[in-house]
């Protein structure tokens, strides 16, 4: 009797079929003989694409990153161009030395790729695919679909877990579970305490969903085992399967992403253009950070608008439906800072009589100035003609003309001159008249002045006519407000008439 025990390796969660790559659990082993006419059989639990390549190997795995010596056999199975339907039983039997007969499908081929022949006479058989359809050099390069383990080792097999991977790693046994096939779920010993068994065949139902069938096939009580004779493991040895297969699902393309505008200016937006087919996915999902990390939105169309405030990378992939999220297409949007548009005037307010102010530009030169109606401003220099401006408060805006135009604003107030109007009750006074005091109709609190000869009170503007020298004078009133102003009136002081007369004697 060969050193065999019978251990099934399956992936028990429902896999999603993709035209590009099979997944763990898309096929399952349902029989194996290691006596006499050796061989094994599988059932497909999804549609196998046309010309799909699957490798079958009995190279034992001694760690998660290495096989045992490559002298053990690896066969390359190529599906027919028409593909293989879900629910098909296929058997591989060695009817003559080193030559396997394929039963259950027409047009498929199987050739020895490496190592020794007699696949199935060793410890185990694993089924896997590779990205390039070339025999895998290390387990990490392979996607394992299923396996059947027949090497009993007391160090490896545990009555509770059925499989103890850590113990196998430390031993010289060849019973490591392939990467991607979970040990406690996927490996069940049909005789957990031994002895080894040469031949085994699944006897449970072949009707149901792929998920239900994987669970049933993975349960060792649904198998029969012996050391002799071998079982009929060709399709004729099983009841006709009736697998409720899900429709083939095509994963979305890895999209190509471009941007309508890149780089953009801070505060701006750009449109991401997504090129590729969603296939059976429902929406494109857009992420930042990295693929699948921070979702910022979805679209079922081919465009998505973003407004980053700093240089940001976007990651996009199709999701939803029956598909499995995969690789993202990516693009980085560069965000340039807005132009520096800072500027200022020397003061916030100006009087109508002040010198015209010109602003100081701290930011990018070459922009333009603008303001509301009433302010006389030079659009190029920003100089304000205060005397030509209507008094009021204005917002002056400076707009740059650089790569990323920007604007800033300051407030400028134009104040009117103080009202300095005043008057006396009369324009002329005799030296013996009552001293006149002016009426200020403008801003009070100013000061009065005149030329020499007029006796004038600077605070009140009162004229002491008796103390003044007769003559005509200009009296000036000057305000003391925010925008000082002055006005003039004429005041005349007359001497008394000469009333002298005489008689001859």
């Amino acid at each position: 009797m060969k050193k065999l025990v019978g251990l099934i390796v399956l992936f028990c969660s429902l896999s999603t079929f993709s035209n590009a790559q099979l997944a763990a659990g898309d096929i399952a082993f349902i029989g194996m003989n290691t006596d006499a006419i050796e061989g094994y059989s599988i059932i497909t639990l999804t549609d196998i694409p046309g010309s799909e390549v699957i490798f079958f190997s009995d190279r034992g795995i001694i760690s998660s990153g290495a096989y045992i010596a490559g002298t053990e056999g690896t066969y390359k199975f190529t599906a027919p161009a028409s593909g293989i339907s879900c629910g098909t039983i296929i058997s591989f039997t060695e009817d003559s030395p080193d030559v396997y007969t394929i039963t259950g499908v027409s047009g498929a081929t199987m050739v020895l790729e490496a190592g020794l022949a007699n696949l199935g006479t060793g410890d185990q058989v694993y089924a896997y695919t590779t990205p390039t359809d070339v025999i895998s050099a290390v387990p990490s390069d392979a996607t394992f679909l299923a396996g059947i383990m027949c090497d009993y080792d007391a160090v490896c097999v545990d009555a509770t877990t059925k499989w103890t991977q850590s113990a196998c790693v430390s031993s010289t046994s060849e019973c490591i579970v392939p990467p991607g096939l979970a040990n406690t779920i996927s490996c069940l010993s049909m005789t957990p305490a031994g002895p080894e068994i040469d031949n085994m065949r699944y006897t449970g139902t072949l009707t149901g969903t792929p998920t239900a069938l994987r669970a049933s096939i993975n349960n060792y009580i649904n198998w029969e085992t012996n050391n002799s004779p071998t079982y009929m493991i060709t399709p004729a040895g099983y009841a006709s399967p009736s697998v409720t297969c899900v429709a083939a699902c095509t994963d979305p393309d890895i999209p190509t992403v471009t941007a309508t505008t890149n780089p953009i200016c801070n505060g701006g937006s750009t449109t991401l253009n997504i090129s590729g087919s969603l296939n059976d996915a429902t929406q494109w999902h857009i992420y930042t950070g990295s693929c699948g990390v921070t979702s910022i939105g979805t679209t079922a169309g081919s465009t998505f608008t973003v407004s980053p405030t700093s240089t940001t990378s976007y990651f996009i992939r199709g999701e939803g439906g029956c598909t499995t999220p995969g690789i993202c297409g990516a693009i980085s949007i560069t965000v340039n800072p807005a132009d520096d548009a800072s500027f200022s005037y020397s003061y916030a307010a100006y009087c109508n009589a002040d010198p015209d102010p010109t602003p100081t530009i701290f930011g990018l030169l070459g922009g333009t100035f603008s303001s509301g109606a009433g302010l006389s401003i030079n659009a190029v220099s920003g100089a304000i003609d205060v005397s030509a401006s209507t008094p009021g408060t204005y917002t002056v805006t400076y707009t740059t003309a650089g790569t990323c135009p920007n604007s800033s604003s300051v407030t400028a107030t134009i104040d009117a001159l103080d009202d300095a109007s005043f008057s006396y009750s009369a324009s002329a006074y005799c030296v013996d008249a009552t001293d006149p005091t002016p009426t200020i109709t403008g801003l009070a609190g100013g000061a009065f002045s005149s030329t020499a000869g007029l006796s004038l009170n600077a605070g009140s503007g009162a004229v002491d006519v008796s103390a003044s020298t007769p003559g005509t004078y200009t009296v000036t009133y000057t305000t003391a407000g925010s925008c000082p102003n002055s006005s003039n009136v004429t005041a005349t002081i007359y001497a008394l008439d000469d009333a002298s007369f005489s008689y001859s004697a």
Side-chain angles (χ1 to χ4, degrees):
M1 182 176 71
K2 296 181 178 65
K3 187 174 182 284
L4 305 170
V5 65
L7 199 70
I8 308 162
V9 182
L10 298 174
F11 186 79
C12 295
S13 64
L14 180 62
S15 63
T16 300
F17 174 72
S18 168
N19 284 337
Q21 179 67 55
L22 295 178
D26 281 344
I27 67 173
F29 285 95
I30 58 173
M32 186 168 187
N33 291 322
T34 62
D35 287 331
I37 299 177
E38 300 164 344
Y40 53 93
S41 57
I42 64 170
I43 184 170
T44 60
L45 298 178
T46 189
D47 292 327
I48 307 298
S51 303
E52 178 76 23
V53 171
I54 300 175
F55 292 98
F56 292 94
S57 178
D58 68 342
R59 298 174 65 194
I61 300 176
I62 56 175
S63 74
S64 61
Y67 291 110
I68 62 169
T71 55
E72 294 191 291
T74 299
Y75 277 80
K76 180 178 181 179
F77 169 81
T78 304
S82 58
I84 304 172
S85 298
C86 176
T88 300
I89 295 176
I90 307 171
S91 66
F92 306 87
T93 56
E94 189 185 32
D95 296 323
S96 60
D98 302 339
V99 177
Y100 277 80
T101 298
I102 303 173
T103 307
V105 64
S106 299
T109 61
M110 186 167 176
V111 296
L112 179 64
E113 282 285 293
L116 302 176
N118 296 319
L119 182 64
T121 64
D123 308 313
Q124 63 279 310
V125 177
Y126 296 131
Y128 66 87
T129 61
T130 64
T132 57
D133 290 345
V134 176
I135 184 171
S136 179
V138 293
S140 59
D141 186 39
T143 297
F144 286 92
L145 309 179
I148 188 164
M149 170 62 73
C150 303
D151 184 10
Y152 174 76
D153 190 316
V155 176
C156 295
V157 180
D158 181 91
T160 301
T161 63
K162 315 303 182 190
W163 192 261
T164 306
Q165 182 170 328
S166 60
C168 295
V169 171
S170 62
S171 75
T172 58
S173 179
E174 302 161 6
C175 54
I176 296 298
V177 179
L181 300 178
N183 59 342
T184 57
I185 296 176
S186 304
C187 300
L188 296 178
S189 169
M190 285 176 286
T191 55
E196 298 161 355
I197 301 298
D198 287 358
N199 310 305
M200 59 209 71
R201 186 176 73 122
Y202 173 68
T203 59
T205 181
L206 290 176
T207 299
T209 65
T211 301
L213 288 179
R214 274 188 287 268
S216 180
I217 294 170
N218 198 48
N219 190 340
Y220 71 90
I221 68 173
N222 295 322
W223 288 68
E224 59 181 348
T225 62
N226 67 30
N227 292 319
S228 181
T230 57
Y231 292 106
M232 179 180 287
I233 59 171
T234 61
Y238 298 90
S240 296
S242 179
V243 183
T244 306
C245 297
V246 297
C249 184
T250 303
D251 284 339
D253 296 341
I254 299 173
T256 299
V257 187
T258 60
T260 301
T261 303
N262 192 15
I264 65 172
C265 296
N266 191 11
S269 299
T270 188
T271 299
L272 303 182
N273 303 298
I274 307 167
S275 177
S277 176
L278 280 169
N279 295 324
D280 288 323
T282 57
Q283 289 182 315
W284 297 110
H285 286 243
I286 298 88
Y287 297 95
T288 58
S290 62
C291 187
V293 174
T294 303
S295 176
I296 63 168
T298 62
T299 179
S302 59
T303 60
F304 188 83
T305 300
V306 295
S307 303
T309 57
S310 60
T311 298
T312 302
S313 292
Y314 294 92
F315 304 86
I316 301 176
R317 69 184 180 189
E319 296 181 18
C322 60
T323 64
T324 299
I327 300 173
C328 289
I331 188 173
S332 179
I333 303 300
T334 300
V335 179
N336 291 326
D339 296 342
D340 182 359
S342 58
F343 75 104
S344 70
Y345 288 94
S346 299
Y347 302 100
Y350 297 91
C351 297
N352 270 136
D354 286 343
D356 293 341
T358 298
T360 299
I361 300 173
F362 303 106
L364 183 67
L365 300 176
T368 57
F369 291 87
S370 62
S371 187
L375 187 72
S376 179
I377 188 169
N378 185 299
V380 176
S381 67
I384 297 174
D385 186 342
V386 292
S387 62
S389 298
T390 302
T393 298
Y394 300 90
T395 298
V396 179
T397 300
Y398 176 61
T399 302
T400 63
T403 303
C404 289
N406 192 20
S407 62
S408 66
S409 300
V410 299
T411 299
T413 299
I414 305 300
D415 292 321
L417 294 177
D418 296 341
D419 182 358
S421 59
F422 74 103
S423 66
Y424 289 95
S425 58
S427 61
Y429 299 92
C430 293
V431 292
D432 62 348
T434 302
D435 292 341
T437 298
T439 299
I440 300 173
T441 56
L443 182 67
F448 291 86
S449 62
S450 185
T451 53
L454 185 71
S455 180
L456 179 70
N457 186 299
S460 66
V463 177
D464 186 343
V465 292
S466 62
S468 298
T469 301
T472 298
Y473 298 92
T474 297
V475 179
T476 300
Y477 175 61
T478 303
T479 64
S482 58
C483 287
N485 194 13
S486 63
S487 66
N488 301 314
V489 298
T490 299
T492 300
I493 305 299
Y494 289 118
L496 292 178
D497 296 340
D498 185 359
S500 61
F501 71 97
S502 67
Y503 291 95
S504 57

